[in-house]
Amino acid sequence: REATCHPGLTDCAMATSTDPSVGISKQIIYCGRGGSPAFTKNTKATFHFRAILPSDSCSSEETVVDDSRTMGCGPFELLCGREFKMAVWERIVQTMLVGEVSRFTCKKELVHEYPLVSKSLRYVAKQKRGEEADSPLTSHRCGAHLHGQHGHPSTGYEDLDHMQDHPADMVFEIELLSVETEGSYEKDVWSMTESEKRDAIPRLKELGNELYKAKQYMKAATTYSKAISCIEDLETREKPGGDAANVLYQLKEPLLLNYTQCKLNLGEYVDVITHTTTVLQHSPNNVKALFRRGKAYALSWRSQEAKLDLQRVTELDSSLKRTVTKMLQELDAEQKKRDADDRSMLQGKGMFK
């Protein structure tokens, strides 16, 4: 497609534009395509970014603080008109065309919230990598460690703490990937209203069921997970153990069980064990949860835990006795084979005489 420059910028390569009144200067590195998007409320702008500290008297080189392509959180999705902490991002993205790559230098007064935004993005990235991570809210809890001359709560990252204590101008290199108006995209849970979450739950459950029947287990699991997230967000608004919270849990339990069946089919046994355990904390005699957790234990070579769950299944539902008995026999046989293989390997290394 033909690339398009913004009005007033005649040279697309490395063209610059400065508005001193707002503290932002822009340098177009690569032009976008098409016309200027309409950024109405709830328009979703998806973009990759690099957050950079420019060179100064202490450093002759720029410092890349974050890069969405490498940090693991994926492209950033910004909903316009939702009072996002980094208001400057909404302002600069609205000057861009889809496909454009530009570099924006922003005054320090416009970027003071970036360390907290970065902390949240790093938390998301750790979650996606399956790493343990403290909630981004941890440092704001009562008694949180304060640091620096201004007494900011620590972010848990030395570079971000330094940025909080020593505010400076920042550079953002942005590649605008897409712009979607409200209604043309599936909303993330965090951006839904309470009524939208409630309406989405049965729809997502039905879609998950259809995907499961089509043996699209990964997509089904993702769909069930989104429905669960809707419920868990609604649960935070209710009194724990209250009638409203109990009603929401009754909606969540079958979704958790459907999700664990998908994960069992996908061979993701840790997820199965984690979420069936959640069900069993509320419903200790739930046969489906016990059976699936027992099977996940068995397939993870946790024989003792598997036997406890599966034996409990037969006590609660005698119709499953034949199935469970066969599973236990197979588990015993496989365990004996593994034990024999281990002994043989150790004997071969001279560890047994």
Side-chain angles (χ1 to χ4, degrees), residues 199-266:
D199 291 342
I201 293 164
R203 176 175 56 80
L204 290 168
K205 181 180 180 182
E206 183 178 350
L207 176 58
N209 292 346
E210 291 172 0
L211 290 166
Y212 183 86
K213 290 175 183 176
K215 298 185 178 181
Q216 297 184 46
Y217 302 127
M218 183 66 75
K219 289 183 178 180
T222 300
T223 304
Y224 290 134
S225 179
K226 186 170 183 178
I228 292 166
S229 294
C230 286
I231 294 172
E232 290 179 342
D233 189 80
L234 293 170
E235 284 177 325
T236 63
R237 305 163 190 258
E238 306 297 342
K239 180 181 177 182
D243 291 343
N246 290 334
V247 169
L248 287 170
Y249 178 75
Q250 293 308 312
L251 291 174
K252 184 167 72 170
E253 187 170 286
L255 289 164
L256 285 168
L257 290 170
N258 291 352
Y259 176 83
T260 59
Q261 184 60 57
C262 293
K263 291 295 185 175
L264 194 60
N265 292 348
L266 292 166

Side-chain angles (χ1 to χ4, degrees), residues 186-319:
E186 183 74 24
K187 284 188 176 182
D188 292 324
V189 173
W190 67 266
S191 67
M192 293 180 179
T193 64
E194 182 176 343
S195 61
E196 286 174 334
K197 292 184 181 78
R198 292 186 184 277
D199 291 342
I201 293 164
R203 176 175 56 80
L204 290 168
K205 181 180 180 182
E206 183 178 350
L207 176 58
N209 292 346
E210 291 172 0
L211 290 166
Y212 183 86
K213 290 175 183 176
K215 298 185 178 181
Q216 297 184 46
Y217 302 127
M218 183 66 75
K219 289 183 178 180
T222 300
T223 304
Y224 290 134
S225 179
K226 186 170 183 178
I228 292 166
S229 294
C230 286
I231 294 172
E232 290 179 342
D233 189 80
L234 293 170
E235 284 177 325
T236 63
R237 305 163 190 258
E238 306 297 342
K239 180 181 177 182
D243 291 343
N246 290 334
V247 169
L248 287 170
Y249 178 75
Q250 293 308 312
L251 291 174
K252 184 167 72 170
E253 187 170 286
L255 289 164
L256 285 168
L257 290 170
N258 291 352
Y259 176 83
T260 59
Q261 184 60 57
C262 293
K263 291 295 185 175
L264 194 60
N265 292 348
L266 292 166
E268 297 179 19
Y269 305 128
V270 173
D271 265 358
V272 177
I273 293 166
T274 298
H275 290 87
T276 49
T277 298
T278 297
V279 172
L280 292 165
Q281 287 169 346
H282 288 83
S283 308
N285 294 330
N286 188 294
V287 173
K288 288 182 179 179
L290 284 165
F291 184 81
R292 289 171 193 170
R293 189 174 72 172
K295 191 170 183 180
Y297 276 141
L299 293 167
S300 303
W301 304 111
R302 295 172 62 174
S303 302
Q304 294 307 311
E305 294 101 322
K307 288 177 181 178
L308 288 173
D309 277 352
L310 294 173
Q311 286 167 356
R312 181 62 179 153
V313 166
T314 61
E315 295 170 6
L316 295 168
D317 188 345
S318 59
S319 68

Side-chain angles (χ1 to χ4, degrees), residues 13-295:
M14 304 301 286
T16 60
S17 174
T18 303
D19 186 348
S21 65
V22 296
I24 302 170
S25 65
K26 174 180 179 179
Q27 182 181 57
I28 297 178
I29 299 172
Y30 183 83
C31 281
R33 57 184 182 270
S36 297
F39 288 93
T40 54
K41 186 172 182 179
N42 290 326
T43 292
K44 182 168 76 171
T46 303
F47 57 90
H48 273 302
F49 73 91
R50 293 174 79 219
I52 300 167
L53 289 174
S55 58
D56 56 21
S57 59
C58 298
S59 174
S60 60
E61 296 183 355
E62 294 183 336
T63 302
V64 177
V65 180
D66 291 312
D67 185 335
S68 62
R69 289 181 180 81
T70 59
M71 65 192 301
C73 60
F76 190 83
E77 296 179 350
L78 174 68
L79 289 188
C80 295
R82 297 297 291 267
E83 299 183 354
F84 178 55
K85 284 181 180 179
M86 285 287 291
V88 68
W89 274 7
E90 183 169 341
R91 188 180 300 172
I92 63 181
V93 164
Q94 291 188 22
T95 72
M96 300 180 71
L97 303 177
V98 174
E100 179 183 321
V101 180
S102 285
R103 179 182 173 95
F104 298 88
T105 301
C106 305
K107 291 295 186 182
K108 62 184 179 182
E109 294 80 9
L110 301 175
V111 299
H112 64 277
E113 293 282 5
Y114 185 76
L116 297 180
V117 171
S118 176
K119 178 183 179 179
S120 295
L121 293 175
R122 294 179 188 189
Y123 171 74
V124 171
K126 282 188 174 182
Q127 283 192 314
K128 287 187 175 182
R129 294 194 297 266
E131 299 175 12
E132 290 188 6
D134 290 333
S135 165
L137 299 178
T138 299
S139 65
H140 294 280
R141 293 176 184 160
C142 182
H145 171 63
L146 300 181
H147 76 96
Q149 57 183 325
H150 302 296
H152 295 296
S154 174
T155 63
Y157 295 94
E158 185 176 347
D159 60 336
L160 301 182
D161 288 346
H162 185 270
M163 290 171 67
Q164 287 193 129
D165 288 337
H166 305 280
D169 296 352
M170 290 191 70
V171 174
F172 298 105
E173 288 184 1
I174 306 286
E175 179 184 3
L176 185 58
L177 302 175
S178 64
V179 176
E180 302 166 275
T181 56
E182 186 176 19
S184 66
Y185 61 88
E186 183 74 24
K187 284 188 176 182
D188 292 324
V189 173
W190 67 266
S191 67
M192 293 180 179
T193 64
E194 182 176 343
S195 61
E196 286 174 334
K197 292 184 181 78
R198 292 186 184 277
D199 291 342
I201 293 164
R203 176 175 56 80
L204 290 168
K205 181 180 180 182
E206 183 178 350
L207 176 58
N209 292 346
E210 291 172 0
L211 290 166
Y212 183 86
K213 290 175 183 176
K215 298 185 178 181
Q216 297 184 46
Y217 302 127
M218 183 66 75
K219 289 183 178 180
T222 300
T223 304
Y224 290 134
S225 179
K226 186 170 183 178
I228 292 166
S229 294
C230 286
I231 294 172
E232 290 179 342
D233 189 80
L234 293 170
E235 284 177 325
T236 63
R237 305 163 190 258
E238 306 297 342
K239 180 181 177 182
D243 291 343
N246 290 334
V247 169
L248 287 170
Y249 178 75
Q250 293 308 312
L251 291 174
K252 184 167 72 170
E253 187 170 286
L255 289 164
L256 285 168
L257 290 170
N258 291 352
Y259 176 83
T260 59
Q261 184 60 57
C262 293
K263 291 295 185 175
L264 194 60
N265 292 348
L266 292 166
E268 297 179 19
Y269 305 128
V270 173
D271 265 358
V272 177
I273 293 166
T274 298
H275 290 87
T276 49
T277 298
T278 297
V279 172
L280 292 165
Q281 287 169 346
H282 288 83
S283 308
N285 294 330
N286 188 294
V287 173
K288 288 182 179 179
L290 284 165
F291 184 81
R292 289 171 193 170
R293 189 174 72 172
K295 191 170 183 180

